[in-house]
Amino acid sequence: MSAPVAVPPAEPEPESDVRKDHINKIVLSDEVQRAIEQVLQSSDPLDHPDFDPTDYVNQLFPNEQSLSNIDDVITKMEVDIGLIDDNIRSVVRGQVNTGENGRMALREAQQSITQLFGLITDIKSRAEQTEDMVKEITRDIKQLDSAKNNLTYAITTLNHLHMLVGGVENLKRLAERRQYGEVLNPLQAIIEVNQHFQQYSEIPQIQTLSSQVQQIQTELATQITEDFRHFFAPSAGGGQGRMTITQLKDACQVVSVLDKPVKRNILKWYINLQLQEYIQLFHENQDIAWLDKIDKRYAWVKRHLLDFEEKYGAIFPQDWEISERITVQFCAITREELTKIMARRRTEMDVKLLLFAIQKTANFEQLLDKRFQGSTLTEMKTSAGGGEGSEDQKQPTFIDLIGQCFKAYLDIYTDSIDRSLAELIGQFVQQTPQQLLPKDGASVFPNCAELFVFYKKCMVQCTQLSNEKPMYDLTLIFKRYLREYSSKVLDARIPKLQSSSSGGSSTASSISNSMSLLTKDFQNLSTAAGQVIHNFLKEGEAPSMDDIRKICFVLATAEYCLETVQQLEDKLKEKIDKSYANRVDLSDEKDVFHRIISNCIGLLVQDLDTGCEQSLNLMTKISWHNISNVGDQSGFVNQIVTNLKQSVPVIRDNLATSRKYYTQFCHKFVNSFIPKYINTLYRLRPTTSTVGSSSMTTSASSSSIAEGTGTGTNSANASANPGGNILGCEQLLLDTHSLKTVLMDLPSIGSQVQRKPPASYTKVVVKGMAKAEMIIKVVMQPIYPATLYIEQYLKLLPESHVTEFHKILEMKSVRKIEQQQLVELYKRACPQQQQQGTGAGQHDGGGGGGDAAPLSQSQQAAASAAAAISGAGSSIIALGDSLMDKGRIKKIESLIKNRLPN
């Protein structure tokens, strides 16, 4: 296919034409262009804003053969141009017509507005005229309406006046006859009419009538009060002047219409009359008034209310609430009497008597709260100043209406709880180990649940008594006995694991005794050697599994206490009064249980460390530089694995409900064991020295060491065996890898269910054991040439320091002079911060050689025991060399192995 025909560039136009086109060119913004494209959707390339004429021509004529239809293309374009010109002309003409039409519409709108304004003005003037006409027409009607109202008011006033004058005389006559049923309606009417005439009080006749009405009300109040006293007085047996119940009922209706003080005085007198018997019967000097017979008080008022309602309940209106008023007054008198008698006889009160009185009182108050609505209490509260506008809108109840007198004596209750908890903790302390063992597969001491059940009962009981200061005092008691439980029960039950120092001394003495068997009797050689090793292993046993289980039980119990104490704190803050809520804080007690948990984990780690420490001490007594072949993992690895398989499954099973603390135990153990293992590596000498005679040492310079050159026989020896005997290092590398595998599987060791260890645990093990492997690999490297050795050292141990470099040189048995020269090269090669190795060396726990940290008593005892075994083995081998051949020695070794305890 031929290449497209390119359109030759046009000749440059004159400058004037270019400027003219530039002036007439219309540039649209991108936003306007997008709007046009949305309205006028077109696929014609001529409509695109980025239209390129050259590309368009090349698309029409892609090759020379396409030029044959150029006439058709030109014709089509001419037609399109004509259509576009027609559209432009029509649009221009339309725009001209649109402008003319708009001007005409504007003129018409202005004319319409002028006409509308004229119409509105005309309507407004007509409305004003109409209003004047209406006012003129209704002027006489208003006068007539005002006259009617005045006349109606005058007639009403005259009627009221007639009622007042006639009613006063009628009321006097009815009051004298005690016809209270007929007095009620006229009295209400006269009182209302009298209120109407108060505005005419300056008129003498009105004043006289008002005084007569007031006098009638006073006489009625006095007369009705006397009638009540005469009816209910004990002396009024059944005389002729005694009122009937119907008359008293009507009298009560009349009292309701009279002034409020009249009703209040009658009620006060009557209620006191009803409670006179109670006051005399339960006087503080009477035996029946004491707390042990408090239920008789409540029984008396129940009987009295029933008797009153049966005999006289129909007399008083229901809205008077006589029964409720009698009960409220009874509660007030009872509270005052109990307060006085308890203050006088406080020494006779005990917690049982107090709780008995509180319980009976609470039951009585709940009964009253269900029986009455509390309207009297609301009325008393309003009259005391707690009106409707007060902040406290809570409906008053009978709860604590009497019981509040006991709150001052609730310290007797809290003191009793204090004594009960002291006795309970004492019982826990005296419990035998069999009683403390968890039951039903649990891992928590049973007495822990007993303690918190007692706490719950006390909290519920105290909530019923008071949720203020007594509950706060109870919280302080709870705090004290939580600490007592943690110290006297949990801490006291943690087994005291024996330190390895005493065990080491006894081990050494036991081995010394066994050594005497070897020196005295060589005939039973295998038996004596077996007894030596058996005694050593027996003395080095870890604490019993029972002690480990006890520690796990204490840990699980402390965890249970920690969780329950948090729930207890939340519940106390919920129940206690808001003013004391911020003072409830059990964080110190939670810290105590946290400390117990940490202590238990530390003891478990210490126990497992002690068992592994003996194996690590035996590891230092092996002649690693004399190993001739690399076989299976060493015996000390087997001992460590055996120790882990014995202890860790027991710990895991007994911490099944405390998985997070079991994981924490595994973390702490590897963080303790791995540094000890690395420190033990520093004490080993797994390779033979590559240095020859002292003459070569004294003549060597730092440059010769750096270049790896020597003289005479020494150079030949170094080249023949540049790294010395490294079989010991290879065996150590194999043992380290085995330990790494065991530690990676430690959380699930001895378990049928294999779980993937946490990522954080795996990271610690991998990092620590990788360092141990790198140390061994560095020891395996030949020192010569020194620059290459230091380069390899920095690659394998990039975070090392000078102290560690010294320890590794000691492991390689490098002489002191060479060490100094190598250290100088190391300091020049490593960064400055790695030359300060004091802190890191202390962190590693010290190493071998001159930089080794002093051993503890347990380590010294174990080392002396191992040395005794090593000496015993040397004596056996020396004896075999002198008496038997090599095959005989093999038989003796196998015999000793067979006699070793499993």
Side-chain angles (χ1 to χ4, degrees):
M1 187 175 186
S2 302
V5 178
V7 177
E11 294 181 359
E13 299 178 356
E15 183 178 357
S16 59
D17 295 339
V18 174
R19 187 182 298 109
K20 182 179 180 181
D21 292 342
H22 178 70
I23 293 173
N24 295 332
K25 185 177 181 180
I26 299 175
V27 180
L28 301 178
S29 64
D30 294 339
E31 184 176 359
V32 174
Q33 187 65 43
R34 285 194 298 268
I36 293 174
E37 291 176 357
Q38 291 179 359
V39 175
L40 303 176
Q41 298 181 358
S42 174
S43 60
D44 193 346
L46 294 175
D47 295 333
H48 291 176
D50 55 350
F51 173 72
D52 189 353
T54 302
D55 292 341
Y56 184 68
V57 171
N58 288 333
Q59 290 179 4
L60 293 176
F61 307 106
N63 48 42
E64 295 179 359
Q65 289 78 6
S66 61
L67 295 175
S68 59
N69 59 350
I70 188 171
D71 295 332
D72 297 337
V73 173
I74 292 173
T75 302
K76 182 177 180 300
M77 286 187 174
E78 289 177 351
V79 173
D80 292 341
I81 291 171
L83 292 174
I84 293 173
D85 290 339
D86 293 339
N87 290 334
I88 292 173
R89 280 193 296 273
S90 62
V91 170
V92 170
R93 290 170 183 171
Q95 291 294 328
V96 173
N97 295 332
T98 300
E100 184 64 25
N101 293 335
R103 285 189 291 272
M104 291 177 62
L106 179 61
R107 286 194 297 270
E108 292 177 357
Q110 290 174 349
Q111 294 175 0
S112 299
I113 291 172
T114 303
Q115 294 175 0
L116 180 62
F117 180 75
L119 291 174
I120 292 173
T121 303
D122 184 45
I123 291 171
K124 182 178 179 182
S125 61
R126 290 182 181 182
E128 292 175 352
Q129 294 175 3
T130 302
E131 184 180 2
D132 295 338
M133 292 174 63
V134 170
K135 287 181 179 180
E136 185 68 24
I137 293 171
T138 59
R139 180 181 302 168
D140 297 335
I141 296 175
K142 286 184 178 180
Q143 291 178 356
L144 293 175
D145 186 54
S146 177
K148 177 186 176 182
N149 292 336
N150 293 333
L151 182 60
T152 303
Y153 185 76
I155 294 172
T156 303
T157 303
L158 289 174
N159 288 334
H160 288 169
L161 182 60
H162 178 72
M163 289 174 57
L164 184 60
V165 173
V168 168
E169 296 298 330
N170 188 28
L171 278 178
K172 288 180 180 180
R173 184 170 59 255
L174 294 175
E176 291 175 356
R177 298 176 183 176
R178 285 181 167 80
Q179 296 177 351
Y180 298 124
E182 299 178 6
V183 167
L184 180 60
N185 292 332
L187 179 63
Q188 288 179 333
I190 288 175
I191 291 176
E192 291 178 2
V193 170
N194 188 37
Q195 292 292 334
H196 173 72
F197 281 105
Q198 290 301 316
Q199 55 184 330
Y200 307 110
S201 58
E202 69 276 0
I203 302 174
Q205 291 80 2
I206 300 298
Q207 290 181 357
T208 303
L209 290 174
S210 297
S211 301
Q212 292 176 0
V213 171
Q214 188 66 34
Q215 183 180 0
I216 290 173
Q217 294 184 41
T218 304
E219 291 175 354
L220 280 173
T222 305
Q223 182 175 309
I224 292 174
T225 303
E226 291 177 354
D227 290 340
F228 268 92
R229 293 179 183 273
H230 183 67
F231 183 85
F232 290 103
S235 59
Q240 295 181 355
R242 187 177 182 186
M243 300 287 291
T244 63
I245 291 180
T246 304
Q247 288 178 314
L248 286 178
K249 183 176 181 181
D250 295 336
C252 289
Q253 298 293 337
V254 174
V255 171
S256 298
V257 177
L258 297 176
D259 294 337
K260 290 183 179 179
V262 178
K263 174 184 174 182
R264 188 162 52 246
N265 293 333
I266 292 176
L267 289 176
K268 182 178 180 182
W269 169 83
Y270 183 74
I271 292 172
N272 291 333
L273 178 66
Q274 295 296 312
L275 294 176
Q276 279 182 359
E277 179 186 353
Y278 171 73
I279 295 173
Q280 295 174 1
L281 184 62
F282 292 91
H283 191 268
E284 60 178 328
N285 295 328
Q286 302 294 328
D287 292 338
I288 198 175
W290 187 227
L291 297 181
D292 58 344
K293 298 180 179 62
I294 195 172
D295 53 335
K296 295 186 181 298
R297 293 175 179 266
Y298 308 136
W300 181 90
V301 74
K302 292 176 186 177
R303 291 194 306 269
H304 188 76
L305 288 176
L306 291 175
D307 184 60
F308 159 75
E309 291 176 355
E310 182 179 354
K311 292 182 180 180
Y312 308 116
I315 296 178
F316 301 96
Q318 291 185 356
D319 59 341
W320 282 26
E321 298 288 350
I322 294 296
S323 297
E324 183 176 336
R325 293 179 185 276
I326 293 174
T327 305
V328 171
Q329 185 66 18
F330 166 82
C331 293
I333 295 173
T334 303
R335 183 177 64 249
E336 295 174 1
E337 293 295 323
L338 289 177
T339 301
K340 290 190 294 183
I341 196 171
M342 285 191 296
R344 186 166 59 88
R345 303 174 63 176
R346 180 184 177 91
T347 56
E348 302 178 29
M349 297 174 60
D350 58 11
V351 65
K352 291 183 179 180
L353 183 61
L354 179 64
L355 293 180
F356 170 78
I358 292 175
Q359 186 62 42
K360 292 296 181 181
T361 303
N363 294 338
F364 177 69
E365 290 172 344
Q366 291 175 2
L367 178 63
L368 296 181
D369 213 36
K370 295 178 181 178
R371 169 66 177 79
F372 302 112
Q373 297 180 356
S375 57
T376 304
L377 297 175
T378 304
E379 180 182 334
M380 294 173 58
K381 181 180 177 181
T382 304
S383 61
E388 297 181 355
S390 62
E391 297 181 359
D392 189 6
Q393 298 294 334
K394 186 177 180 181
Q395 179 69 23
T397 64
F398 284 88
I399 304 302
D400 276 346
L401 195 60
I402 302 175
Q404 59 182 330
C405 66
F406 298 113
K407 292 185 178 181
Y409 302 93
L410 287 178
D411 57 328
I412 298 175
Y413 168 74
T414 54
D415 292 343
S416 173
I417 297 298
D418 194 343
R419 292 191 298 271
S420 299
L421 281 172
E423 294 176 0
L424 189 63
I425 296 297
Q427 294 175 7
F428 293 163
V429 173
Q430 298 299 326
Q431 285 180 339
T432 62
Q434 289 74 17
Q435 293 174 325
L436 277 176
L437 289 178
K439 301 176 182 178
D440 301 330
S443 57
V444 178
F445 290 160
N447 55 26
C448 178
E450 295 178 20
L451 177 66
F452 285 106
V453 167
F454 185 83
Y455 273 17
K456 180 180 179 181
K457 292 180 180 179
C458 295
M459 184 173 61
V460 172
Q461 191 176 47
C462 188
T463 303
Q464 298 173 352
L465 301 177
S466 174
N467 67 338
E468 297 178 352
K469 188 177 184 300
M471 180 164 281
Y472 179 69
D473 295 338
L474 188 65
T475 302
L476 298 180
I477 294 174
F478 285 172
K479 289 166 60 71
R480 183 166 73 255
Y481 284 100
L482 283 173
R483 293 192 293 270
E484 290 278 335
Y485 181 81
S486 63
S487 61
K488 294 183 179 180
V489 179
L490 295 185
D491 271 341
R493 299 293 177 174
I494 298 177
K496 300 300 185 288
L497 301 180
Q498 294 182 354
S499 62
S500 58
S501 59
S502 60
S505 60
S506 61
T507 302
S509 62
S510 176
I511 293 176
S512 299
N513 295 333
S514 299
M515 281 298 298
S516 64
L517 296 175
L518 289 175
T519 56
K520 292 180 180 179
D521 190 2
F522 286 102
Q523 295 178 356
N524 197 5
L525 184 61
S526 61
T527 303
Q531 186 66 28
V532 170
I533 301 176
H534 174 72
N535 289 341
F536 172 75
L537 295 178
K538 183 176 180 181
E539 294 295 338
E541 287 180 354
S544 66
M545 292 297 105
D546 289 340
D547 290 341
I548 294 179
R549 291 188 185 93
K550 290 179 182 178
I551 296 174
C552 294
F553 292 157
V554 172
L555 190 151
T557 305
E559 181 190 15
Y560 173 81
C561 291
L562 183 62
E563 296 174 353
T564 312
V565 166
Q566 181 60 52
Q567 299 173 7
L568 176 65
E569 182 180 7
D570 296 339
K571 187 61 68 174
L572 285 170
K573 289 183 178 180
E574 175 185 344
K575 297 294 183 182
I576 202 168
D577 188 75
K578 294 181 180 179
S579 58
Y580 291 92
N582 294 331
R583 300 167 63 180
V584 176
D585 184 13
L586 301 183
S587 57
D588 293 340
E589 288 66 35
K590 289 184 284 188
D591 292 341
V592 169
F593 291 113
H594 272 300
R595 179 186 58 77
I596 293 177
I597 292 173
S598 300
N599 187 22
C600 291
I601 294 175
L603 288 175
L604 294 175
V605 172
Q606 174 189 344
D607 169 55
L608 205 56
D609 264 347
T610 303
C612 296
E613 186 177 349
Q614 297 173 0
S615 302
L616 295 179
N617 287 333
L618 290 177
M619 174 184 171
T620 60
K621 303 306 175 184
I622 299 176
S623 300
W624 296 96
H625 58 279
N626 292 330
I627 291 179
S628 58
N629 62 334
V630 180
D632 294 334
Q633 61 188 23
S634 302
F636 79 91
V637 178
N638 294 330
Q639 291 182 10
I640 293 175
V641 173
T642 301
N643 181 35
L644 296 179
K645 287 184 177 180
Q646 288 177 350
S647 300
V648 174
V650 176
I651 298 173
R652 181 179 60 245
D653 295 341
N654 288 279
L655 294 181
T657 59
S658 306
R659 295 296 304 177
K660 63 179 180 180
Y661 293 116
Y662 173 70
T663 304
Q664 187 176 345
F665 156 75
C666 294
H667 270 276
K668 287 192 175 182
F669 171 71
V670 295
N671 281 323
S672 173
F673 172 77
I674 293 177
K676 289 183 179 179
Y677 179 73
I678 292 176
N679 290 336
T680 305
L681 288 178
Y682 288 144
R683 297 164 58 189
L684 304 182
R685 301 295 180 265
T687 62
T688 56
S689 176
T690 59
V691 182
S693 62
S694 59
S695 60
M696 177 263 184
T697 302
T698 55
S699 62
S701 63
S702 60
S703 60
S704 64
I705 291 178
E707 295 172 358
T709 59
T711 57
T713 308
N714 297 318
S715 299
N717 293 337
S719 60
N721 190 12
N725 182 13
I726 62 171
L727 293 179
C729 293
E730 293 177 356
Q731 182 64 43
L732 278 174
L733 200 59
L734 174 65
D735 295 339
T736 302
H737 181 73
S738 299
L739 280 177
K740 178 181 177 181
T741 304
V742 172
L743 293 178
M744 289 290 291
D745 190 45
L746 180 66
S748 301
I749 192 171
S751 175
Q752 296 179 355
V753 180
Q754 296 296 321
R755 294 183 179 179
K756 185 177 180 181
S760 57
Y761 174 82
T762 303
K763 181 179 179 180
V764 172
V765 174
V766 170
K767 182 178 180 180
M769 297 307 291
K771 180 177 181 180
E773 292 175 345
M774 294 302 104
I775 290 173
I776 298 172
K777 290 181 180 180
V778 167
V779 174
M780 294 173 64
Q781 298 294 325
I783 294 180
Y784 304 107
T787 53
L788 181 60
Y789 176 73
I790 293 176
E791 181 181 353
Q792 289 295 112
Y793 180 91
L794 293 175
K795 287 181 180 180
L796 296 176
L797 294 173
E799 298 179 358
S800 183
H801 45 79
V802 174
T803 304
E804 195 169 31
F805 186 68
H806 269 295
K807 296 176 183 179
I808 291 176
L809 294 180
E810 291 288 342
M811 290 178 67
K812 293 181 67 65
S813 302
V814 178
R815 297 180 181 275
K816 296 295 183 180
I817 297 177
E818 281 80 3
Q819 286 187 24
Q820 296 176 0
Q821 298 170 353
L822 289 171
V823 167
E824 292 298 328
L825 292 176
Y826 172 78
K827 289 182 177 181
R828 289 197 295 268
C830 71
Q832 182 67 26
Q833 60 270 20
Q834 294 186 12
Q835 299 180 18
Q836 306 296 331
T838 304
Q842 292 176 355
H843 176 72
D844 291 338
D851 297 327
L855 299 179
S856 63
Q857 294 181 359
S858 60
Q859 292 173 335
Q860 292 175 359
S864 61
I869 293 177
S870 178
S874 301
S875 300
I876 295 171
I877 295 173
L879 182 61
D881 288 340
S882 62
L883 299 178
M884 306 170 224
D885 55 4
K886 187 175 182 180
R888 183 67 172 170
I889 294 174
K890 292 287 186 180
K891 292 180 181 180
I892 293 175
E893 291 178 352
S894 57
L895 181 62
I896 292 174
K897 291 181 180 179
N898 292 332
R899 294 299 300 273
L900 287 176
N902 294 326

